[in-house]
Amino acid sequence: MEDKKINEQESLELIARMIQQTKKDSAIGSGNMFLMWGYLSVFFSLAVVVMTYIRREGGWGWLYMAIPIIGFITAGIMARRMKKMNSVPSTYTTKSINSIWGCLSFIFGIYAVFCLFKYDEPRLWSGMFLLGLLLPAIGTYCTGTILNENRLRHCATVGLICA
């Protein structure tokens, strides 16, 4: 691959484009994906807790499977809409945040599959409750740190304490 030398004007143009992209990524409405996953997680976590409390059965943990199913479908639709509006490559900040959430989602998914194989063990499903509280709080704290947003870090700290 050939390294292309760029002049000062092209360099400044590239920097300006990346700054514009960062501003666009931080604009109002850019956190909609983040909020969608959060609302979805809270809704189904509360549903599982309430139904388990009312019925005293561990099988309500299956409702957790709705989070990735509904979430990935909704995220795909939202991503397609955002891609149509924005064709500039993503920034380092966006890639970092997406990597963190991808890793946490992978961990949650692995544990969920493990729980499915050990369906009759209610203590494993209790681990889903704990992960359902811990992983989003960790991801939110990391996101707040990357974005230098204190409110996100404070909310995540409350979530970690509650977990």
Side-chain angles (χ1 to χ4, degrees):
M1 192 174 209
E2 196 177 303
D3 286 337
K4 180 185 175 191
K5 299 287 183 189
I6 59 175
N7 61 31
E8 293 173 15
Q9 183 64 27
E10 290 173 328
S11 178
L12 288 173
E13 206 173 286
L14 178 63
I15 292 169
R17 221 175 38 223
M18 293 310 285
I19 289 172
Q20 285 301 103
Q21 180 61 31
T22 301
K23 284 181 183 177
K24 201 180 283 185
D25 286 348
S26 301
I28 293 175
S30 63
N32 289 346
M33 187 82 71
F34 184 68
L35 290 172
M36 182 273 302
W37 281 104
Y39 291 145
L40 198 62
S41 298
V42 167
F43 175 78
F44 281 104
S45 294
L46 288 175
V48 169
V49 168
V50 168
M51 294 309 292
T52 302
Y53 181 75
I54 291 172
R55 302 291 297 263
R56 301 281 186 216
E57 297 171 7
W60 291 105
W62 283 92
L63 282 176
Y64 278 118
M65 297 302 125
I67 294 173
I69 294 168
I70 294 171
F72 284 122
I73 291 169
T74 307
I77 293 168
M78 290 173 74
R80 255 189 248 118
R81 286 183 184 163
M82 285 191 298
K83 199 172 212 176
K84 286 180 184 178
M85 294 176 359
N86 186 5
S87 62
V88 181
S90 61
T91 62
Y92 179 76
T93 302
T94 306
K95 288 179 184 177
S96 298
I97 292 171
N98 289 343
S99 296
I100 289 168
W101 284 100
C103 178
L104 295 176
S105 299
F106 179 74
I107 291 168
F108 194 80
I110 294 279
Y111 192 78
V113 169
F114 180 72
C115 284
L116 289 175
F117 286 117
K118 300 283 188 171
Y119 174 76
D120 295 335
E121 186 63 41
R123 289 184 309 180
L124 288 177
W125 287 104
S126 297
M128 287 292 280
F129 292 128
L130 182 62
L131 284 180
L133 291 171
L134 279 178
L135 293 180
I138 291 168
T140 303
Y141 190 86
C142 292
T143 301
T145 301
I146 290 171
L147 296 176
N148 199 20
E149 187 67 43
N150 285 330
R151 285 176 281 172
L152 277 178
R153 288 194 295 241
H154 295 314
C155 288
T157 303
V158 170
L160 286 169
I161 291 169
C162 289

